[in-house]
């Protein structure tokens, strides 16, 4: 077929651009503005040497700044063997749209380092990370005001702590040094709840979806998340917290988990904590006693279920397997798990997809809270918490003396409880994901030309980004 767009002809960033193009079409956007929004502002490639076990090794890394209409530009740093410039650019573009969708006032950026972290010791990883950070700082691609990295695949709190410390050493005069990176450990200026944020955000998305009966019915579902049969691909930081919370707090049934070495199925529901522990001990799911092991894990994505949550990485549902997907609803917790060609097939099949740029925005949302905490140099709740508790106590005393009654202990505790940092972070995250869903759903239903959540999400993002171009002008 001459014009068929296939996975083989589209790179990740082209796939993201094609998805955005649907929204530009709906908005009848000026092609010049569309081109300005889609293009990546700047991209840095660094090749730097590090001495490892007495020998020099040269590492290649990238940092793409997709947009600067808001500063800082924000997005994670990925450590993976296959990472390349196109991938980093695609992920940076997704960050631009993501921040706009959830009203986080940042531009979009992303970094990557081509490395297999399992080949290096902790000390070696520290050397490599500090050197990479220095390159980014010296070349103007890392600072609290302009470009703020965060964790992504293959990186976590320890890398963020090394990056923050490297920046502090180079810029001790910058009073806001700790805001140069987010996802830091608590002891180094991190915020409570950042680690679980993306997974928890996914759960808030699902809960809000089920508060919209029209959308629930359109997916052929009913009720709430409780009892729903869910398949999750990837039990990494995002998938694990989403699975754990869906099971513990919503009583959903996690019937299959797909990992690198295969899948584990259990119709009665998998014990998520136990499986996570098993993966840490054994390096994979094979041999896990509480479920059936399937070697070709990706075939499990095609299994019939209520909700499919790809939470691993990009390009997992392609034109090869899209036609066989039989989930009622797809929640994209990873970045780019569905290619453009696969998305077209799934749209034609009528399977609703809540898109990555909305679904996994919980991470950057809590990064925003962490950044604010660092700029204000104070933990959330520190000033008001005890005052609120005292007010709660007075309220109870007033009610009890007016009614001559006593308040039940559990209610008393709830009223007296003053919000601590974790309460506030979760509340801010919940509010953000819910407000964004409401905008998403109303946009989907408002425009005749929009028939899917992804296009609705891009329309929302592009309208906001275009607004700032129009207000400020292009020069
Ligand atoms: N790497 C995460 C993402 O893809 C988090 C980005 C951030 O917190 O800045 O959204």
């Amino acid at each position: 077929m001459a014009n068929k767009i296939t996975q083989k002809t589209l790179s990740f960033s082209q796939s993201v651009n094609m998805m955005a193009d649907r929204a530009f079409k709906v908005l009848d956007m000026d092609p010049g503005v569309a081109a300005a929004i889609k293009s990546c502002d700047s991209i840095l490639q660094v090749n730097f040497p590090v001495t490892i076990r007495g020998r020099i090794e040269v590492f290649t890394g990238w940092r793409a700044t997709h947009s600067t209409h808001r500063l800082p530009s924000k997005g994670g740093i990925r450590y993976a063997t296959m990472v390349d410039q196109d991938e980093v650019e695609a992920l940076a573009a997704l960050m631009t749209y993501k921040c706009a969708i959830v009203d986080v006032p940042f531009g979009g950026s992303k970094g990557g380092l081509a490395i297999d972290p399992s080949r290096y010791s902790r000390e070696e990883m520290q050397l490599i990370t500090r050197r990479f950070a220095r390159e980014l700082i010296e070349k103007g691609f890392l600072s609290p005001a302009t470009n703020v990295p965060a964790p992504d695949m293959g990186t976590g709190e320890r890398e963020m702590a090394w990056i923050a410390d490297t920046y502090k050493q180079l810029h001790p005069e910058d009073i806001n040094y700790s805001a140069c990176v987010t996802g830091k450990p608590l002891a180094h200026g991190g915020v409570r709840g950042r680690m679980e944020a993306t997974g928890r955000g996914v759960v808030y998305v699902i809960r809000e979806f089920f508060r919209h009966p029209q959308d629930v019915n359109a997916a052929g579902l009913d009720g709430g998340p409780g009892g729903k049969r869910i398949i999750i691909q990837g039990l990494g930081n995002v998938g694990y917290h989403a699975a754990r919370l869906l099971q513990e707090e919503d009583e959903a049934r996690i019937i299959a988990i797909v990992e690198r070495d295969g899948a584990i199925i259990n119709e009665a529901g998998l014990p998520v904590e136990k499986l996570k522990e098993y993966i840490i001990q054994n390096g994979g799911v094979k041999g896990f006693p509480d479920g059936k092991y399937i070697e070709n894990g990706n075939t499990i994505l095609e299994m019939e279920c209520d909700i499919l949550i790809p939470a691993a990485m990009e390009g997992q549902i392609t034109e090869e397997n899209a036609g066989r997907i039989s989930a009622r609803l797809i929640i994209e917790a990873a970045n780019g798990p569905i290619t453009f060609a696969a998305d077209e097939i799934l749209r034609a099949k009528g399977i609703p997809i809540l898109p990555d740029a909305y679904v996994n925005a919980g991470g950057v949302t809590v990064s925003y809270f962490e950044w604010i905490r660092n700029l204000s140099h104070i933990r959330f709740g520190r000033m008001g918490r005890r005052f609120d508790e005292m007010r709660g106590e007075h309220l109870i005393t007033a009610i009890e003396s007016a009614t001559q009654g006593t308040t039940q202990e559990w209610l008393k505790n709830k009223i007296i409880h003053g919000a601590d940092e974790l309460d506030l972070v979760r509340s801010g995250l919940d509010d953000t994901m819910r407000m964004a869903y409401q905008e998403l759903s109303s946009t989907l239903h408002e425009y005749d030309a929009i028939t899917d959540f992804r296009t609705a999400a891009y329309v929302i993002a592009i309208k906001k980004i275009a607004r700032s171009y129009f207000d400020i002008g292009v020069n």
Side-chain angles (χ1 to χ4, degrees), residues 416-436:
I416 288 175
H417 178 78
D420 61 19
E421 185 167 82
L422 189 59
D423 293 323
L424 293 168
V425 163
R426 287 180 179 167
S427 155
L429 175 61
D430 193 12
D431 186 58
T432 302
M433 301 318 281
R434 287 169 78 159
M435 299 281 284

Side-chain angles (χ1 to χ4, degrees), residues 290-447:
D290 297 334
K292 188 171 150 213
Y293 173 71
I294 307 282
E295 195 173 342
N296 189 357
N298 272 11
T299 57
I300 300 308
L301 301 177
E302 300 161 18
M303 210 170 101
E304 191 273 318
C305 66
D306 293 320
I307 307 174
L308 174 63
I309 308 182
M313 60 184 295
E314 65 264 23
Q316 296 302 297
I317 301 179
T318 67
E319 75 219 68
E320 293 301 318
N321 57 355
R324 295 189 298 274
I325 300 289
S326 42
R328 293 218 161 85
L329 170 70
I330 302 178
I331 304 279
E332 283 187 320
N335 286 311
I338 299 176
T339 64
F340 179 78
D343 195 62
E344 294 274 291
I345 295 168
L346 294 166
R347 265 156 48 114
K349 278 171 73 103
I351 300 177
I353 301 166
L354 286 172
D356 49 4
Y358 161 56
V359 169
N360 68 35
V364 76
T365 299
V366 176
S367 277
Y368 171 45
F369 302 155
E370 180 174 335
W371 186 74
I372 291 171
R373 179 202 211 265
N374 296 149
L375 295 185
S376 53
H377 300 265
I378 190 164
R379 149 170 66 81
F380 292 113
R382 182 162 175 181
M383 302 295 281
R385 182 173 169 203
R386 300 297 169 196
F387 188 85
D388 289 342
E389 290 190 356
M390 207 168 60
R391 177 167 284 165
E393 277 168 23
H394 291 329
L395 191 68
I396 287 169
T397 311
I399 294 171
E400 287 184 348
S401 65
T403 60
Q404 296 296 315
T406 50
T407 317
Q408 287 181 42
E409 205 55 34
W410 69 268
L411 184 58
K412 204 166 168 173
N413 290 337
K414 282 230 179 278
I415 294 172
I416 288 175
H417 178 78
D420 61 19
E421 185 167 82
L422 189 59
D423 293 323
L424 293 168
V425 163
R426 287 180 179 167
S427 155
L429 175 61
D430 193 12
D431 186 58
T432 302
M433 301 318 281
R434 287 169 78 159
M435 299 281 284
Y437 187 91
Q438 287 159 23
E439 196 173 7
L440 189 59
S441 179
S442 61
T443 304
L444 171 65
H445 300 304
E446 183 186 319
Y447 288 77

Side-chain angles (χ1 to χ4, degrees), residues 68-265:
T68 55
H69 61 294
R70 300 261 189 281
L71 285 176
S73 303
K74 190 84 186 75
I77 289 185
R78 169 172 292 199
Y79 283 4
T81 33
M82 297 304 287
V83 75
D84 61 23
Q85 179 171 332
D86 182 81
E87 177 176 341
V88 170
E89 284 189 31
L91 293 164
L94 281 173
M95 287 308 303
T96 295
Y97 301 121
K98 193 181 298 190
C99 292
I101 291 164
V102 290
D103 283 326
V104 163
F106 292 148
S109 185
K110 199 79 171 202
L113 184 67
I115 189 171
D116 175 0
S118 69
R119 287 188 42 224
Y120 301 93
S121 69
R122 186 190 157 84
E123 286 66 34
E124 290 162 353
M125 286 309 293
Q126 177 166 186
L127 271 179
I128 298 161
T129 301
R130 284 183 179 273
R131 179 60 202 263
F132 186 31
R134 226 172 69 209
E135 295 287 331
L136 298 178
I137 295 161
E138 282 167 358
K139 277 142 188 137
F141 276 75
L142 198 161
S143 86
T146 59
N147 197 315
V148 179
D152 200 80
M153 254 167 60
T155 57
E157 287 188 338
R158 66 170 199 180
E159 285 76 15
M160 302 307 117
W162 295 330
I163 292 172
D165 191 60
T166 306
Y167 181 84
K168 181 174 149 230
Q169 284 176 6
L170 289 171
H171 293 285
E173 76 294 343
D174 185 347
I175 192 170
N176 294 318
Y177 65 81
S178 66
C180 75
V181 65
T182 59
K184 300 178 292 293
L186 262 187
H188 297 275
V191 74
R192 285 162 183 80
R194 172 62 186 86
M195 195 95 113
E196 60 161 29
T198 314
R200 182 173 280 278
V202 172
V203 176
Y204 289 156
V205 166
I206 294 172
R207 289 180 192 161
E208 188 59 14
F209 169 83
F210 280 103
R211 292 189 193 101
H212 288 71
Q214 191 182 355
D215 299 340
V216 176
N217 292 341
L221 292 164
D222 56 21
K228 292 292 175 292
R229 298 168 60 250
I230 299 179
I231 298 177
I232 300 190
Q233 183 193 33
L235 213 57
N237 187 44
V238 180
Y240 163 64
H241 286 291
R244 178 180 68 80
L245 293 168
L246 282 166
Q247 183 170 67
E248 285 171 9
E249 297 183 6
D250 298 271
E251 288 169 14
R253 249 193 303 154
I254 313 297
I255 58 165
I257 286 179
V258 186
E259 261 291 329
R260 253 181 279 259
D261 68 324
I264 291 283
I265 318 178

Side-chain angles (χ1 to χ4, degrees), residues 16-35:
V16 171
N17 283 339
M18 298 283 285
M19 288 170 177
D21 280 340
R22 293 186 192 131
F24 287 116
K25 200 165 155 220
V26 170
L27 292 167
D28 197 18
M29 185 78 61
D30 175 281
V33 178

